[in-house]
mmCIF file of all heavy atoms in Angstrom:
data_model
loop_
_atom_site.group_PDB
_atom_site.id
_atom_site.type_symbol
_atom_site.label_atom_id
_atom_site.label_comp_id
_atom_site.label_asym_id
_atom_site.label_seq_id
_atom_site.Cartn_x
_atom_site.Cartn_y
_atom_site.Cartn_z
ATOM 1 N N ARG A 1426 5.569 -2.732 -5.343
ATOM 2 C CA ARG A 1426 4.164 -2.547 -5.708
ATOM 3 C C ARG A 1426 3.868 -2.918 -7.167
ATOM 4 O O ARG A 1426 2.949 -2.384 -7.773
ATOM 5 C CB ARG A 1426 3.704 -1.117 -5.405
ATOM 6 C CG ARG A 1426 4.037 -0.636 -3.998
ATOM 7 C CD ARG A 1426 3.374 -1.431 -2.908
ATOM 8 N NE ARG A 1426 1.937 -1.335 -2.891
ATOM 9 C CZ ARG A 1426 1.243 -0.419 -2.217
ATOM 10 N NH1 ARG A 1426 1.864 0.457 -1.498
ATOM 11 N NH2 ARG A 1426 -0.060 -0.410 -2.241
ATOM 12 N N GLN A 1427 4.649 -3.857 -7.699
ATOM 13 C CA GLN A 1427 4.428 -4.275 -9.092
ATOM 14 C C GLN A 1427 3.114 -5.037 -9.268
ATOM 15 O O GLN A 1427 2.541 -5.055 -10.362
ATOM 16 C CB GLN A 1427 5.598 -5.152 -9.585
ATOM 17 C CG GLN A 1427 5.679 -6.521 -8.906
ATOM 18 C CD GLN A 1427 6.937 -7.300 -9.254
ATOM 19 O OE1 GLN A 1427 7.921 -6.737 -9.744
ATOM 20 N NE2 GLN A 1427 6.932 -8.603 -9.018
ATOM 21 N N ALA A 1428 2.661 -5.687 -8.188
ATOM 22 C CA ALA A 1428 1.419 -6.461 -8.278
ATOM 23 C C ALA A 1428 0.274 -5.561 -7.862
ATOM 24 O O ALA A 1428 0.181 -5.176 -6.713
ATOM 25 C CB ALA A 1428 1.496 -7.693 -7.373
ATOM 26 N N ARG A 1430 -0.840 -2.323 -8.841
ATOM 27 C CA ARG A 1430 -1.072 -0.912 -9.043
ATOM 28 C C ARG A 1430 -1.268 -0.458 -10.480
ATOM 29 O O ARG A 1430 -1.962 0.513 -10.734
ATOM 30 C CB ARG A 1430 0.076 -0.122 -8.450
ATOM 31 C CG ARG A 1430 -0.218 0.201 -7.012
ATOM 32 C CD ARG A 1430 0.788 1.163 -6.550
ATOM 33 N NE ARG A 1430 0.362 1.849 -5.348
ATOM 34 C CZ ARG A 1430 1.169 2.632 -4.664
ATOM 35 N NH1 ARG A 1430 2.405 2.796 -5.064
ATOM 36 N NH2 ARG A 1430 0.727 3.246 -3.597
ATOM 37 N N TYR A 1435 -4.774 -6.570 -13.741
ATOM 38 C CA TYR A 1435 -5.106 -6.568 -12.303
ATOM 39 C C TYR A 1435 -6.484 -5.958 -12.083
ATOM 40 O O TYR A 1435 -7.318 -6.513 -11.375
ATOM 41 C CB TYR A 1435 -4.060 -5.786 -11.501
ATOM 42 C CG TYR A 1435 -4.526 -5.459 -10.087
ATOM 43 C CD1 TYR A 1435 -4.550 -6.434 -9.091
ATOM 44 C CD2 TYR A 1435 -4.966 -4.178 -9.755
ATOM 45 C CE1 TYR A 1435 -5.000 -6.144 -7.810
ATOM 46 C CE2 TYR A 1435 -5.416 -3.880 -8.475
ATOM 47 C CZ TYR A 1435 -5.430 -4.870 -7.505
ATOM 48 O OH TYR A 1435 -5.884 -4.570 -6.241
ATOM 49 N N ARG A 1439 -9.654 -7.359 -10.047
ATOM 50 C CA ARG A 1439 -10.101 -6.560 -8.901
ATOM 51 C C ARG A 1439 -11.572 -6.164 -9.051
ATOM 52 O O ARG A 1439 -12.331 -6.212 -8.090
ATOM 53 C CB ARG A 1439 -9.185 -5.339 -8.837
ATOM 54 C CG ARG A 1439 -9.534 -4.276 -7.871
ATOM 55 C CD ARG A 1439 -9.135 -4.648 -6.473
ATOM 56 N NE ARG A 1439 -9.222 -3.456 -5.658
ATOM 57 C CZ ARG A 1439 -10.363 -2.850 -5.332
ATOM 58 N NH1 ARG A 1439 -11.493 -3.354 -5.736
ATOM 59 N NH2 ARG A 1439 -10.351 -1.761 -4.607
ATOM 60 N N PHE A 1445 -11.079 -4.679 -2.227
ATOM 61 C CA PHE A 1445 -9.678 -5.085 -2.070
ATOM 62 C C PHE A 1445 -9.540 -6.275 -1.127
ATOM 63 O O PHE A 1445 -8.804 -7.219 -1.402
ATOM 64 C CB PHE A 1445 -8.893 -3.873 -1.547
ATOM 65 C CG PHE A 1445 -7.463 -4.151 -1.236
ATOM 66 C CD1 PHE A 1445 -6.547 -4.371 -2.255
ATOM 67 C CD2 PHE A 1445 -7.013 -4.175 0.079
ATOM 68 C CE1 PHE A 1445 -5.214 -4.614 -1.966
ATOM 69 C CE2 PHE A 1445 -5.682 -4.421 0.372
ATOM 70 C CZ PHE A 1445 -4.786 -4.640 -0.658
ATOM 71 N N ILE A 1472 6.274 -10.794 -6.110
ATOM 72 C CA ILE A 1472 6.035 -10.458 -4.698
ATOM 73 C C ILE A 1472 4.587 -10.831 -4.391
ATOM 74 O O ILE A 1472 3.687 -10.476 -5.154
ATOM 75 C CB ILE A 1472 6.343 -8.977 -4.379
ATOM 76 C CG1 ILE A 1472 6.019 -8.646 -2.904
ATOM 77 C CG2 ILE A 1472 5.661 -7.994 -5.335
ATOM 78 C CD1 ILE A 1472 6.689 -7.377 -2.375
ATOM 79 N N SER A 1475 -0.607 -9.121 -1.274
ATOM 80 C CA SER A 1475 -1.250 -9.039 0.039
ATOM 81 C C SER A 1475 -1.142 -7.600 0.486
ATOM 82 O O SER A 1475 -1.024 -6.714 -0.354
ATOM 83 C CB SER A 1475 -0.560 -9.986 1.028
ATOM 84 O OG SER A 1475 -1.298 -10.022 2.228
ATOM 85 N N ASP A 1476 -1.133 -7.337 1.767
ATOM 86 C CA ASP A 1476 -0.915 -5.970 2.247
ATOM 87 C C ASP A 1476 -0.270 -6.025 3.620
ATOM 88 O O ASP A 1476 -0.455 -6.995 4.363
ATOM 89 C CB ASP A 1476 -2.230 -5.187 2.314
ATOM 90 C CG ASP A 1476 -1.958 -3.687 2.317
ATOM 91 O OD1 ASP A 1476 -1.843 -3.109 1.230
ATOM 92 O OD2 ASP A 1476 -1.815 -3.113 3.411
ATOM 93 N N ILE A 1477 0.444 -4.957 3.968
ATOM 94 C CA ILE A 1477 1.059 -4.920 5.302
ATOM 95 C C ILE A 1477 -0.008 -4.848 6.406
ATOM 96 O O ILE A 1477 0.256 -5.208 7.537
ATOM 97 C CB ILE A 1477 2.063 -3.736 5.447
ATOM 98 C CG1 ILE A 1477 1.379 -2.382 5.307
ATOM 99 C CG2 ILE A 1477 3.199 -3.854 4.434
ATOM 100 C CD1 ILE A 1477 2.255 -1.188 5.719
ATOM 101 N N MET A 1490 -10.612 -0.923 3.301
ATOM 102 C CA MET A 1490 -9.857 -0.221 2.267
ATOM 103 C C MET A 1490 -10.878 0.597 1.495
ATOM 104 O O MET A 1490 -11.688 0.052 0.743
ATOM 105 C CB MET A 1490 -9.138 -1.235 1.369
ATOM 106 C CG MET A 1490 -8.065 -0.651 0.505
ATOM 107 S SD MET A 1490 -6.717 0.179 1.389
ATOM 108 C CE MET A 1490 -5.731 -1.213 1.945
ATOM 109 N N PHE A 1544 6.706 -10.456 2.455
ATOM 110 C CA PHE A 1544 6.943 -9.145 3.053
ATOM 111 C C PHE A 1544 6.086 -8.907 4.287
ATOM 112 O O PHE A 1544 5.111 -9.615 4.538
ATOM 113 C CB PHE A 1544 6.703 -8.021 2.035
ATOM 114 C CG PHE A 1544 5.252 -7.832 1.657
ATOM 115 C CD1 PHE A 1544 4.442 -6.954 2.382
ATOM 116 C CD2 PHE A 1544 4.680 -8.529 0.608
ATOM 117 C CE1 PHE A 1544 3.102 -6.752 2.038
ATOM 118 C CE2 PHE A 1544 3.350 -8.348 0.261
ATOM 119 C CZ PHE A 1544 2.553 -7.458 0.977
ATOM 120 N N TYR A 1554 -0.262 3.061 11.462
ATOM 121 C CA TYR A 1554 -1.649 2.795 11.048
ATOM 122 C C TYR A 1554 -2.529 2.417 12.243
ATOM 123 O O TYR A 1554 -3.702 2.775 12.302
ATOM 124 C CB TYR A 1554 -1.694 1.706 9.964
ATOM 125 C CG TYR A 1554 -1.194 2.238 8.632
ATOM 126 C CD1 TYR A 1554 0.090 1.973 8.190
ATOM 127 C CD2 TYR A 1554 -2.006 3.056 7.845
ATOM 128 C CE1 TYR A 1554 0.561 2.493 6.986
ATOM 129 C CE2 TYR A 1554 -1.548 3.580 6.647
ATOM 130 C CZ TYR A 1554 -0.262 3.289 6.219
ATOM 131 O OH TYR A 1554 0.190 3.823 5.047
ATOM 132 N N PHE A 1607 9.050 -3.408 4.893
ATOM 133 C CA PHE A 1607 8.789 -2.044 4.418
ATOM 134 C C PHE A 1607 8.635 -1.100 5.610
ATOM 135 O O PHE A 1607 7.627 -1.165 6.311
ATOM 136 C CB PHE A 1607 7.484 -1.981 3.619
ATOM 137 C CG PHE A 1607 7.525 -2.635 2.266
ATOM 138 C CD1 PHE A 1607 7.215 -3.975 2.110
ATOM 139 C CD2 PHE A 1607 7.832 -1.888 1.130
ATOM 140 C CE1 PHE A 1607 7.216 -4.575 0.850
ATOM 141 C CE2 PHE A 1607 7.832 -2.480 -0.131
ATOM 142 C CZ PHE A 1607 7.527 -3.828 -0.276
ATOM 143 N N SER A 1609 7.868 2.175 5.555
ATOM 144 C CA SER A 1609 7.450 3.264 4.657
ATOM 145 C C SER A 1609 7.443 4.621 5.346
ATOM 146 O O SER A 1609 7.610 5.645 4.706
ATOM 147 C CB SER A 1609 6.063 2.968 4.113
ATOM 148 O OG SER A 1609 6.074 1.718 3.450
ATOM 149 N N HIS A 1720 10.748 3.709 -4.556
ATOM 150 C CA HIS A 1720 9.542 3.412 -3.776
ATOM 151 C C HIS A 1720 8.603 2.692 -4.737
ATOM 152 O O HIS A 1720 8.963 2.436 -5.886
ATOM 153 C CB HIS A 1720 8.915 4.693 -3.215
ATOM 154 C CG HIS A 1720 7.899 4.461 -2.114
ATOM 155 N ND1 HIS A 1720 6.957 5.391 -1.774
ATOM 156 C CD2 HIS A 1720 7.682 3.391 -1.298
ATOM 157 C CE1 HIS A 1720 6.216 4.915 -0.763
ATOM 158 N NE2 HIS A 1720 6.636 3.710 -0.463
HETATM 159 O O1 LIG B 2486 4.344 -5.077 -4.106
HETATM 160 C C1 LIG B 2486 3.230 -5.499 -4.429
HETATM 161 O O2 LIG B 2486 2.664 -5.158 -5.463
HETATM 162 C C2 LIG B 2486 2.559 -6.538 -3.540
HETATM 163 C C3 LIG B 2486 1.378 -6.099 -2.897
HETATM 164 C C4 LIG B 2486 1.418 -4.964 -1.881
HETATM 165 C C5 LIG B 2486 0.254 -4.187 -1.619
HETATM 166 N N1 LIG B 2486 0.530 -3.371 -0.575
HETATM 167 C C6 LIG B 2486 -1.047 -4.305 -2.310
HETATM 168 C C7 LIG B 2486 -1.979 -3.160 -2.323
HETATM 169 C C8 LIG B 2486 2.418 -4.514 -1.027
HETATM 170 C C9 LIG B 2486 3.875 -4.935 -0.907
HETATM 171 C C10 LIG B 2486 1.856 -3.509 -0.188
HETATM 172 C C11 LIG B 2486 2.588 -2.841 0.886
HETATM 173 C C12 LIG B 2486 2.001 -1.674 1.563
HETATM 174 N N2 LIG B 2486 0.689 -1.441 1.872
HETATM 175 C C13 LIG B 2486 2.776 -0.614 2.110
HETATM 176 C C14 LIG B 2486 4.295 -0.534 2.094
HETATM 177 C C15 LIG B 2486 4.853 -0.154 0.764
HETATM 178 C C16 LIG B 2486 4.692 1.294 0.397
HETATM 179 O O3 LIG B 2486 4.111 1.525 -0.693
HETATM 180 O O4 LIG B 2486 5.166 2.152 1.125
HETATM 181 C C17 LIG B 2486 1.879 0.289 2.701
HETATM 182 C C18 LIG B 2486 2.236 1.579 3.389
HETATM 183 C C19 LIG B 2486 0.550 -0.253 2.541
HETATM 184 C C20 LIG B 2486 -0.737 0.293 3.074
HETATM 185 C C21 LIG B 2486 -1.711 0.556 1.977
HETATM 186 N N3 LIG B 2486 -2.335 -0.416 1.205
HETATM 187 C C22 LIG B 2486 -2.179 1.827 1.519
HETATM 188 C C23 LIG B 2486 -1.743 3.161 2.080
HETATM 189 C C24 LIG B 2486 -3.087 1.594 0.464
HETATM 190 C C25 LIG B 2486 -3.928 2.588 -0.310
HETATM 191 C C26 LIG B 2486 -3.150 3.325 -1.321
HETATM 192 C C27 LIG B 2486 -2.287 2.475 -2.270
HETATM 193 O O5 LIG B 2486 -1.130 2.332 -1.975
HETATM 194 O O6 LIG B 2486 -2.803 1.967 -3.286
HETATM 195 C C28 LIG B 2486 -3.127 0.193 0.256
HETATM 196 C C29 LIG B 2486 -3.945 -0.493 -0.757
HETATM 197 C C30 LIG B 2486 -3.278 -1.470 -1.641
HETATM 198 N N4 LIG B 2486 -2.358 -2.398 -1.250
HETATM 199 C C31 LIG B 2486 -3.543 -1.628 -3.040
HETATM 200 C C32 LIG B 2486 -2.722 -2.697 -3.455
HETATM 201 C C33 LIG B 2486 -2.669 -3.307 -4.817
HETATM 202 C C34 LIG B 2486 -4.544 -0.834 -3.861
HETATM 203 C C35 LIG B 2486 -5.899 -1.355 -3.562
HETATM 204 C C36 LIG B 2486 -6.843 -1.464 -4.723
HETATM 205 O O7 LIG B 2486 -6.665 -2.315 -5.618
HETATM 206 O O8 LIG B 2486 -7.817 -0.727 -4.661
#
Side-chain angles (χ1 to χ4, degrees):
R1426 310 297 295 270
Q1427 68 188 17
R1430 270 190 162 171
Y1435 166 76
R1439 172 78 167 69
F1445 176 71
I1472 177 161
S1475 188
D1476 200 87
I1477 63 168
M1490 195 59 79
F1544 70 90
Y1554 287 101
F1607 289 89
S1609 303
H1720 195 200

